[in-house]
Amino acid sequence: MAPAEALARLRLSRTEGIGPANFRRLIQRHGSAGAALAALPGHAARSGRAFTAPPPAEAEREMAAVARMGGDFVFLDSPGYPPLLALLEDPPPVLAVLGDATVLKRRQVGVVGARAASAAGRRLAEELAAGLCTAGIAVTSGLARGIDTAAHQGALAAQGRTVAVVAGGLDVPYPAENAALQARIAAEGGVVVSEAPLGTAPMARHFPRRNRIVAGLVLGLVVVEAAPRSGSLITARLALEAGRELFAVPGNPMDPRARGGNDLIRQGAHLTEGAEDVLANLPAQPLELPLFSMRPEPRNAAESPLEAPPPAESTGQLLELIGTVPVAVDDLVRRCQLSAPSVQAILLDLELSGLVETLPGNRVVRSVT
């Protein structure tokens, strides 16, 4: 990727109000991040919202700071981007990585669980991680206290590869006592991954986003000790939604930390007592998935995705066709007098304004306010 486009992508990804899904749609609409940045004022005027991208100097400073740490950036639809993660509906536009980024393209299994884990749970997580690494699987977790920490430590003890997905910036280890473990992972063949800018302190709202990355990276997810309504169960739900295999370790029903895993087993998760149970049920992954692309082909020569924005009255016409019941975008195209690229352009502005939401299956629905 050209340095100018990489810088533009970092700026676009750091623009307030532009989430992962709209990042992708803006580049699909305009052909590059640089062109999308130039078009933001027009989108702001039509959507009624302000989108202020950080200045180039700020993005350059972030790039330089990550480089000084020995890290780098991996961008969506670049060859180094983890292919399974790209299959999510909202893959992170850019990942800051510290360590061996090639580990992100290896077969991975997530091991997550309670922060206040029992000694037995921690030991089992260590043994699971070691067994998976011995079989050539990279172990992925969130660098939290308890089960996460044990999983990373078990992988390192087996001289395997481990992926630590953190909720804050790469320069803000969390929890603080895991700073040495984070450095060790990066130094011993693993990789530390963050979606957040440098200097970001982890907050509660950041952890679900971190959890979706864990779920998106892995072929399967193992839950070791999890209370009801815990973050580990959020990760499990996200893994199921992403089509990943789910595993859970059974526990004593008298221990609240076992309730989450036991419930998952009741719902169909694989009962797991060791690495062999995971390996026996882990789906195969192609050696190379097709490279994800954000640049769709025009339907024909007369329908360029870069045509001029449609008139304002067309926006009202299209919005009238969208209700609280999801409707396919193809149906909208058939029912209005606009080209497919024009419909996509209007939908982008409507989504940026918060009036509609895009759902899986190329469907849209009115936002609930």
Side-chain angles (χ1 to χ4, degrees):
M1 184 177 297
E5 177 63 9
L7 183 68
R9 288 202 178 194
L10 184 60
R11 293 178 62 208
L12 186 62
S13 72
R14 303 298 192 232
T15 300
E16 187 71 25
I18 303 297
N22 284 328
F23 174 95
R24 180 173 58 186
R25 294 186 186 103
L26 281 165
I27 293 183
Q28 286 176 324
R29 169 69 185 164
H30 299 287
S32 71
L37 285 171
L40 274 184
H43 285 293
R46 292 189 297 274
S47 66
R49 296 182 62 187
F51 303 107
T52 304
E58 183 177 327
E60 288 171 350
R61 285 193 294 271
E62 183 178 358
M63 283 186 157
V66 169
R68 285 194 298 271
M69 295 174 65
D72 203 351
F73 290 96
V74 177
F75 295 92
L76 181 62
D77 88 347
S78 68
Y81 196 87
L84 285 179
L85 187 62
L87 298 178
L88 294 182
E89 289 291 333
D90 59 344
V94 57
L95 297 171
V97 297
L98 191 62
D100 184 0
T102 65
V103 177
L104 295 175
K105 300 188 74 173
R106 295 179 63 144
R107 287 162 55 87
Q108 299 173 50
V109 167
V111 179
V112 300
R115 287 174 169 81
S118 68
R122 295 179 194 220
R123 178 178 175 182
L124 182 57
E126 290 175 356
E127 293 177 352
L128 268 170
L132 291 169
C133 286
T134 299
I137 304 293
V139 171
T140 301
S141 197
L143 202 68
R145 297 182 180 94
I147 296 300
D148 289 21
T149 294
H152 293 305
Q153 290 173 334
L156 292 173
Q159 298 183 330
R161 300 292 179 263
T162 186
V163 179
V165 185
V166 298
L170 290 179
D171 57 341
V172 188
Y174 182 85
E177 65 261 29
N178 274 357
L181 177 59
Q182 175 174 313
R184 186 181 169 200
I185 290 170
E188 296 185 18
V191 60
V192 183
V193 180
S194 175
E195 185 181 16
L198 291 181
T200 301
M203 301 176 66
R205 60 187 174 87
H206 297 146
F207 287 95
R209 296 178 62 82
R210 185 276 309 269
N211 294 345
R212 98 183 189 289
I213 297 176
V214 172
L217 285 170
V218 302
L219 285 167
L221 183 79
V222 186
V223 176
V224 184
E225 294 189 344
R229 296 183 296 277
S230 64
S232 299
L233 295 188
I234 293 175
T235 309
R237 174 178 58 80
L238 293 170
L240 281 175
E241 290 175 355
R244 308 307 194 246
E245 207 70 25
L246 192 59
F247 305 83
V249 175
N252 187 332
M254 300 296 291
D255 187 343
R257 292 170 294 198
R259 290 183 60 190
N262 290 346
D263 285 343
L264 290 175
I265 293 170
R266 290 190 193 96
Q267 296 167 29
H270 297 285
L271 188 152
T272 303
E273 296 177 321
E276 62 279 0
D277 295 318
V278 179
L279 296 170
N281 295 285
L282 197 64
Q285 176 183 348
L287 293 178
E288 286 293 338
L289 291 171
L291 183 62
F292 176 85
S293 175
M294 289 187 287
R295 298 175 179 83
E297 292 292 331
R299 296 193 174 193
N300 56 56
E303 290 188 348
S304 167
L306 302 181
E307 64 184 32
E313 57 267 22
S314 299
T315 299
Q317 174 193 351
L318 191 63
L319 189 57
E320 287 181 358
L321 296 175
I322 304 171
T324 56
V325 177
V327 58
V329 173
D330 287 345
D331 286 345
L332 292 176
V333 173
R334 284 192 291 268
R335 292 177 183 277
C336 67
Q337 306 301 315
L338 301 170
S339 67
S342 293
V343 170
Q344 293 287 358
I346 294 172
L347 289 176
L348 177 58
D349 286 333
L350 289 173
E351 187 163 8
L352 288 171
S353 69
L355 293 175
V356 304
E357 297 178 28
T358 299
L359 304 176
N362 201 29
R363 299 173 302 152
V364 293
V365 67
R366 284 280 187 122
S367 297
V368 178
T369 57

